[in-house]
Amino acid sequence: MIADNDEFTFTKIESEFPELEEYDCLIRVEYCGVSHTDLLASAGTVPGHEVVGIIEDVGLLVKNLEAGTRVGVGWQLSSCHACKFCESNRENLCPDKKSFKDALLGGFGEYIIWDARFVYTIPEEIPSAEIAPLLTAGASVYAPLKELSIMPTSRIGIVGIGGLGHLAIKFAKAWGCYVIAISSSLNKKEEALNFGADEFMTISANRETLESIGQLDAIFSTVSVPIDWNNLLKLLNPYGKFIMLGAVPFPMTVDGNLIINKKISLIGSIAASPECIRSMIEFVAVHNIKAEIELMEMNTENCQTAFQRIGRNLARYRIVLKNLKLDTPDNSVEGDHEIEEEGSSHEDYKDN
Ligand SMILES: [Zn+2]
C-alpha cells in the first residue's frame, strides 16, 4: 500500500522484487505495527517497519536464517558494517545506516526485503501481533534499561503514558524497578497501574505533590510536547538520568544549575542495536511482555484509518495491521482487539 501522507490515503500497487542480494531476506508480511515514524515516510513510498512474518527466501551469504522461519524486523534496514560503531555492535549509530524509509517496500504490503543482519528470529512462545510494535518501540525503551546501568533497585519515572510510555512501564517493572507513571491526563491512572506502575502522578500536580513521590534515579520522557522540564529534573537524585525517548521537535529550556549541582545526565536514545533487540526479544519471552494493540485488517481503508488515529493520538497505545492473505486456518481479526469508536474515553490521549 503506497501512502500519500498529506491526505493519509493509500493506493494499492503491484511491484516486482529484484533478485536477492547476498545478505537479503525475502519476508512474507504477516503483521505490521503502525507508528508515528511511519507518518514521516515520504509520500509515494510504502511505510511500515514493525514487521513479523515468515522468511520465503534468503541470499547466498545468509547462514543463520532459512525459509519458513518466523522473524521480525524493526526500524533499521542495514548499516555499513565497517565503521567503528558497526564493529562494536552499535550499528544503530552507524553514520551510513539505512532505515525502512530506504527499503524498496515497507511492511504495509505482502513482502519486504531486509538485510538479514537486521532480521530477528521470534521464539515460539511470543505472539506475532503483540511483538510487532516491540521491535522498534519496545527496543527503544529496553535499550536504556540495559545500556545505562538502570538497576532493579532504581526508582523510575515514566513521563507520558502512550505507545512508548505504556511499554516503558511494562519493561521497567519487569526489570525490577519501582515505577512512577507521570501523565498529563488523570484518565490514564487506572491503566497505568494495570500496566504495572507502582504510583501515578499527573504532570500538572503542584510542586509539593510532585516532590512527595520522592527522588528518582531516572526519568524516561516519552512525550513530544513542551512540558516543564525543570520540574521533572528536580525530581532526580544526584547522578540521575533524564532519558529522551519521545521526539521533541523544538528547543528545550533547562536550568543549568540543576544539571550541574546534581551531576544530572541528559541522554537521548534512538532505536537499538541488533544485539540489544535480540536481548529485548529474550527478555520479552521470559517476562511475557505484550504491547496493548488495536488489531486491524491490512487494507487501504484501514491503513488510512490507522494513520488518522495515530496522527490524532487516538490509538489505544499501538495499532497493528494483519495481512489476511495468510495460509492460516483462522484468518479473522480477533474480536478482543477490534478498534474502539472514535470519541471514546481514549480520545484525550496526547502522549506518544
Ligand atoms: Zn557503520
Side-chain angles (χ1 to χ4, degrees):
M1 254 72 73
I2 197 164
D4 176 342
N5 286 10
D6 292 335
E7 300 290 333
F8 288 168
T9 55
F10 286 80
T11 311
K12 204 166 185 177
I13 57 164
E14 298 285 330
S15 180
E16 284 195 12
F17 279 109
E19 204 165 304
L20 295 185
E21 295 192 11
E22 292 172 337
Y23 284 102
D24 279 347
C25 261
L26 176 65
I27 299 167
R28 180 162 49 87
V29 176
E30 291 194 324
Y31 296 87
C32 185
V34 187
S35 80
H36 276 95
T37 314
D38 290 311
L39 271 61
L40 303 176
S42 306
T45 62
V46 179
H49 60 284
E50 296 175 337
V51 172
V52 174
I54 305 294
I55 293 181
E56 290 271 314
D57 198 5
V58 296
L60 285 175
L61 294 183
V62 178
K63 303 297 180 199
N64 60 333
L65 296 166
E66 59 184 15
T69 306
R70 188 173 63 126
V71 293
V73 309
W75 177 86
Q76 192 165 359
L77 171 71
S78 67
S79 69
C80 80
H81 299 286
C83 72
K84 66 179 181 183
F85 298 105
C86 287
E87 288 182 343
S88 56
N89 294 326
R90 294 175 291 167
E91 295 90 336
N92 54 320
L93 300 178
C94 172
D96 294 321
K97 63 180 174 286
K98 301 258 189 303
S99 78
F100 75 101
K101 295 176 194 170
D102 303 301
L104 183 64
L105 298 172
F108 288 17
E110 286 182 54
Y111 293 93
I112 57 170
I113 291 179
W114 225 258
D115 186 317
R117 293 162 289 192
F118 296 85
V119 173
Y120 311 101
T121 304
I122 306 295
E124 222 172 77
E125 61 268 34
I126 301 181
S128 297
E130 282 84 358
I131 185 75
L134 301 188
L135 293 162
T136 298
S140 295
V141 299
Y142 176 76
L145 290 168
K146 182 170 187 287
E147 296 171 354
L148 298 178
S149 305
I150 305 292
M151 304 296 289
T153 50
S154 296
R155 290 170 58 85
I156 306 291
I158 308 290
V159 181
I161 315 303
L164 270 178
H166 90 286
L167 292 174
I169 292 175
K170 292 186 178 196
F171 275 90
K173 193 62 195 169
W175 197 255
C177 301
Y178 190 87
V179 178
I180 295 109
I182 304 171
S183 172
S184 59
S185 169
L186 191 58
N187 291 341
K188 299 213 179 167
K189 180 174 181 178
E190 191 179 338
E191 285 194 301
L193 296 176
N194 285 339
F195 296 149
D198 296 286
E199 291 184 48
F200 177 90
M201 188 70 61
T202 57
I203 208 162
S204 56
N206 62 37
R207 188 174 160 184
E208 289 72 29
T209 312
L210 274 175
E211 287 176 354
S212 72
I213 67 177
Q215 294 292 285
L216 302 173
D217 299 302
I219 291 174
F220 286 42
S221 174
T222 70
V223 296
S224 300
V225 293
I227 54 176
D228 190 335
W229 309 105
N230 293 315
N231 258 354
L232 294 171
L233 290 172
K234 285 173 191 165
L235 300 177
L236 285 169
N237 275 322
Y239 289 105
K241 300 178 176 78
F242 191 89
I243 301 158
M244 307 284 301
L245 293 162
V248 182
F250 44 80
M252 292 171 61
T253 303
V254 295
D255 180 344
N257 285 332
L258 275 173
I259 305 286
I260 291 168
N261 291 337
K262 288 191 179 177
K263 293 198 164 192
I264 286 169
S265 302
L266 279 177
I267 307 167
S269 183
I270 179 164
S273 66
E275 182 185 56
C276 185
I277 292 174
R278 288 190 188 94
S279 169
M280 183 273 298
I281 292 170
E282 280 179 36
F283 188 78
V284 163
V286 169
H287 294 281
N288 193 26
I289 296 173
K290 293 174 183 165
E292 302 294 319
I293 62 167
E294 299 176 8
L295 190 60
M296 304 164 75
E297 177 185 350
M298 188 185 290
N299 56 40
T300 52
E301 192 180 316
N302 282 345
C303 286
Q304 181 178 10
T305 302
F307 261 37
Q308 288 170 342
R309 288 179 69 75
I310 295 277
R312 295 173 191 161
N313 287 309
L314 294 174
R316 191 168 175 280
Y317 299 107
R318 305 295 292 194
I319 293 177
V320 175
L321 301 170
K322 180 176 183 178
N323 194 335
L324 290 191
K325 289 188 175 176
L326 297 176
D327 299 321
T328 54
D330 176 12
N331 67 349
S332 65
V333 174
E334 292 85 343
D336 60 349
H337 287 307
E338 281 175 359
I339 67 169
E340 298 199 357
E341 292 298 316
E342 291 195 10
S344 72
S345 60
H346 301 291
E347 195 171 2
D348 55 350
Y349 287 5
K350 299 294 182 206
D351 305 320
N352 264 342

